[in-house]
């Protein structure tokens, strides 16, 4: 039985009775509040990491499609322009005109 706490005193835990089997160390550890806090922290970390992975995947998808829609056509057009300039210079050299340097921007 637990002793009644007195004013300003400390209550003592109940005494183990002879009929109650001794709990093993594993059961005492798994029922520990530190272990339950650790399990809760691991669960929270798992939840946050799953959300982060999902949102990172969405951001990567948005960045990739934006790149394909905006940047790839620009690169293609710049390449076409460069080929056109090289073709003009080649035509001019074949026709005998003095070679001119390409205009710098």
């Amino acid at each position: 039985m637990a002793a009644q706490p007195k004013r300003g005193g400390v209550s003592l835990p109940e005494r183990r009775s002879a009929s109650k089997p001794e709990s093993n160390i594993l059961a005492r550890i798994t029922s520990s509040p530190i272990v339950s806090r650790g399990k809760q922290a691991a669960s929270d970390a798992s939840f946050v990491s799953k959300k982060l992975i999902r949102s990172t995947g969405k951001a990567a998808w948005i960045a990739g499609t934006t790149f394909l829609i905006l940047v790839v056509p620009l690169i293609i057009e710049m390449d076409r322009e460069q080929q056109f300039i090289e073709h003009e210079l080649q035509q001019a050299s074949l026709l005998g005109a003095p070679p001119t340097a390409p205009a710098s921007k």
Side-chain angles (χ1 to χ4, degrees):
M1 288 197 207
Q4 294 296 326
K6 293 183 181 180
R7 189 174 183 163
V10 178
S11 63
L12 298 173
E14 289 186 17
R15 288 189 176 180
R16 296 182 188 161
S17 63
S19 64
K20 195 178 206 182
E22 192 74 27
S23 63
N24 62 10
I25 188 74
L26 185 60
R28 285 179 26 205
I29 290 175
T30 56
S31 64
S32 165
I34 294 173
V35 172
S36 63
R37 285 184 193 155
K39 285 180 182 179
Q40 184 63 39
S43 174
D44 292 345
S46 171
F47 176 75
V48 169
S49 64
K50 285 179 185 177
K51 295 277 278 186
L52 182 64
I53 288 171
R54 241 183 239 140
S55 64
T56 302
K58 288 179 183 178
W61 173 257
I62 292 170
T65 53
T66 302
F67 180 79
L68 286 174
I69 292 171
L70 299 177
V71 178
V72 171
L74 177 66
I75 292 171
I76 292 171
E77 187 60 34
M78 288 171 57
D79 187 48
R80 282 183 185 165
E81 181 70 24
Q82 183 64 33
Q83 287 178 355
F84 180 72
I85 291 172
E86 288 175 1
H87 180 70
E88 282 184 336
L89 288 174
Q90 184 181 16
Q91 288 290 331
S93 68
L94 287 175
L95 294 175
T100 59
S104 344
K105 294 181 181 182

